[in-house]
Amino acid sequence: MSEIKGIPSFNGPKHELMEYFKEYAEDYNTATLPHMKYYNYDKWEMDEYARKKREAEEAAAKKDGGSGGGGAIVALDELHHKEEMAEREKRRRLEETRCVQYGMTAEKREEMKHQARLRHEMAVAYKTGDEETRKRLQRRLEPEEIVKR
């Protein structure tokens, strides 16, 4: 809303928010939004990234071929550094996920699924007003250290 309507953060009434949303939906459906990024943001973001990368590489190539400022090389180095850091973060998260998966036995996975089912049953009991079942399930789900006290 800040880009289109010039409203930095909207805190108004709900009916006013719904009006803004109706305007947005109308603009979206009639393809009259002010920029293509509003239709497919992920695609626009990737295109923008590729454009900036291409510009940095072209500027670095011009610097190598002739006289120019050192800013192009710095921009290219910064871009490569960001890519490398993102790749490292991705590998770290993947490795962390693998460690968790390998450390988890089939029995532990089944226990986690069982606890999830119990939590769901407890939520249903709470919503239906079955206080006895809710308390019983809550006692079963409490950690053993708390139960022993």
Side-chain angles (χ1 to χ4, degrees):
M1 288 206 13
S2 63
E3 290 182 28
I4 305 296
K5 300 289 183 185
I7 302 171
S9 63
F10 183 76
N11 294 335
K14 189 173 182 178
H15 69 87
E16 203 172 315
L17 179 65
M18 292 306 295
E19 284 298 317
Y20 283 127
F21 180 76
K22 286 178 186 177
E23 287 177 29
Y24 164 76
E26 178 69 25
D27 289 346
Y28 182 86
N29 290 332
T30 58
T32 56
L33 289 174
H35 196 277
M36 287 304 296
K37 72 179 177 182
Y38 299 112
Y39 295 102
N40 189 348
Y41 189 75
D42 291 334
K43 181 182 180 307
W44 176 81
E45 197 172 45
M46 291 303 293
D47 290 345
E48 191 71 11
Y49 173 75
R51 183 186 61 79
K52 286 181 181 178
K53 184 177 180 181
R54 187 176 56 251
E55 287 175 358
E57 288 172 351
E58 288 172 359
K62 285 181 184 177
K63 168 64 176 143
D64 292 341
S67 63
I73 294 175
V74 172
L76 186 60
D77 286 345
E78 185 177 332
L79 187 65
H80 287 304
H81 178 70
K82 285 181 181 180
E83 287 175 347
E84 185 179 315
M85 295 305 288
E87 184 63 32
R88 282 184 189 170
E89 180 64 21
K90 184 178 177 183
R91 276 185 280 165
R92 186 192 63 75
R93 276 188 267 122
L94 185 62
E95 185 62 32
E96 194 174 279
T97 303
R98 283 187 187 143
C99 286
V100 168
Q101 287 176 342
Y102 290 141
M104 198 180 298
T105 63
E107 181 179 306
K108 189 170 182 177
R109 282 192 295 269
E110 284 301 315
E111 178 62 28
M112 289 174 71
K113 287 179 185 177
H114 179 68
Q115 284 185 2
R117 281 192 294 268
L118 288 177
R119 280 194 294 275
H120 176 71
E121 287 178 28
M122 186 172 73
V124 169
Y126 177 77
K127 289 176 183 175
T128 58
D130 189 357
E131 199 61 26
E132 181 181 321
T133 304
R134 185 196 63 80
K135 286 181 181 178
R136 179 179 53 82
L137 290 172
Q138 188 173 8
R139 279 192 301 269
R140 280 186 71 185
L141 286 170
E142 284 179 350
E144 292 178 7
E145 304 89 43
I146 294 174
V147 173
K148 289 180 181 177
R149 287 182 189 176

